[in-house]
Amino acid sequence: IKLLGDLKKEGTTLKLVHLEKELTSTIEVNGLTINLKGKADRIDQIGNTIRIIDYKTGNVEASQALKIKDWEALKDEKFNKGFQLLMYAYLWSKTENTNKFELHSGIYSLRSLSKGLMLVSVDGAYNLNEEILQQFEDEVKVLLQEMLDKKKVFSQTSNHKICDNCAFKSICNR
């Protein structure tokens, strides 16, 4: 309500673009085409800014989960929310013309709505521009190359809560 009031004073409007938007694209790695997908809870527009929004029922600490200082951090489980938000922005950019808009991606934590929209940032930048999204794509390719490396051994996570939302839990022994 406060946001809408502030926008009205500024003569700006909030436009709802999508709810529960399926985002898809493909990426080429080692000669393979890999499908990527996600579902953004909400996409809206304020002025020349597109905001990709995810809602979380749990508590989110922006300082830990959303402030990416180096790309290697994306492999750390504690940055999974930041990775998710960057993936949504990346997928959006693959199907939409983002050149004329700033692109932000963030989380509303339903347990702490007073914090407002907590945006993911890369090296302090909240605008997920073409350069940042290209670097993200490069990092995703590196990650997928590691996953496709037959010599690399993977072990199951020790955090069993992660298994609750896993698409492979029916074939896993957890």
Side-chain angles (χ1 to χ4, degrees):
I1 293 172
K2 181 182 178 331
L3 172 64
L4 292 174
D6 292 344
L7 291 174
K8 186 175 182 179
K9 288 177 191 173
E10 296 169 11
T12 307
T13 58
L14 183 143
K15 176 184 173 188
L16 181 62
V17 178
H18 293 286
L19 291 174
E20 297 291 327
K21 174 69 173 165
E22 290 277 346
L23 302 168
T24 61
S25 187
T26 60
I27 193 168
E28 299 289 325
V29 178
N30 297 345
L32 296 171
T33 300
I34 298 172
N35 295 317
L36 301 173
K37 70 177 186 172
K39 185 185 276 189
D41 291 333
R42 175 174 136 187
I43 300 172
D44 64 28
Q45 179 181 346
I46 298 176
N48 72 335
T49 302
I50 296 290
R51 304 185 320 160
I52 300 172
I53 299 170
D54 191 50
Y55 293 101
K56 297 290 186 202
T57 55
N59 194 29
V60 176
E61 290 300 323
S63 61
Q64 264 192 333
L66 304 177
K67 295 185 186 308
I68 311 299
K69 293 188 176 146
D70 68 74
W71 291 106
E72 191 66 25
L74 287 177
K75 293 180 183 177
D76 187 325
E77 183 182 320
K78 73 180 178 180
F79 290 100
N80 64 350
K81 291 172 182 66
F83 184 94
Q84 177 185 10
L85 294 173
L86 287 170
M87 180 61 77
Y88 289 170
Y90 171 77
L91 293 171
W92 175 261
S93 75
K94 289 300 177 187
T95 59
E96 301 295 327
N97 179 5
T98 57
N99 293 333
K100 59 183 178 176
F101 296 103
E102 281 199 14
L103 183 59
H104 295 181
S105 193
I107 289 176
Y108 275 116
S109 171
L110 299 179
R111 289 209 179 167
S112 51
L113 283 172
S114 62
K115 291 180 182 178
L117 182 63
M118 295 177 282
L119 297 174
V120 67
S121 66
V122 177
D123 291 328
Y126 295 102
N127 180 27
L128 304 177
N129 61 32
E130 189 175 322
E131 181 183 330
I132 288 173
L133 294 174
Q134 181 59 56
Q135 183 65 40
F136 178 73
E137 178 181 286
D138 295 343
E139 295 300 321
V140 169
K141 285 182 178 181
V142 168
L143 182 62
L144 290 169
Q145 286 169 343
E146 287 179 23
M147 292 171 69
L148 294 169
D149 184 351
K150 293 179 181 181
K151 295 176 187 167
K152 183 147 176 110
V153 177
F154 287 93
S155 58
Q156 288 179 318
T157 180
S158 58
N159 183 349
H160 297 277
K161 285 186 173 185
I162 291 173
C163 297
D164 291 343
N165 297 317
C166 179
F168 301 104
K169 68 181 174 185
S170 64
I171 60 171
C172 183
N173 28 348
R174 289 238 167 141

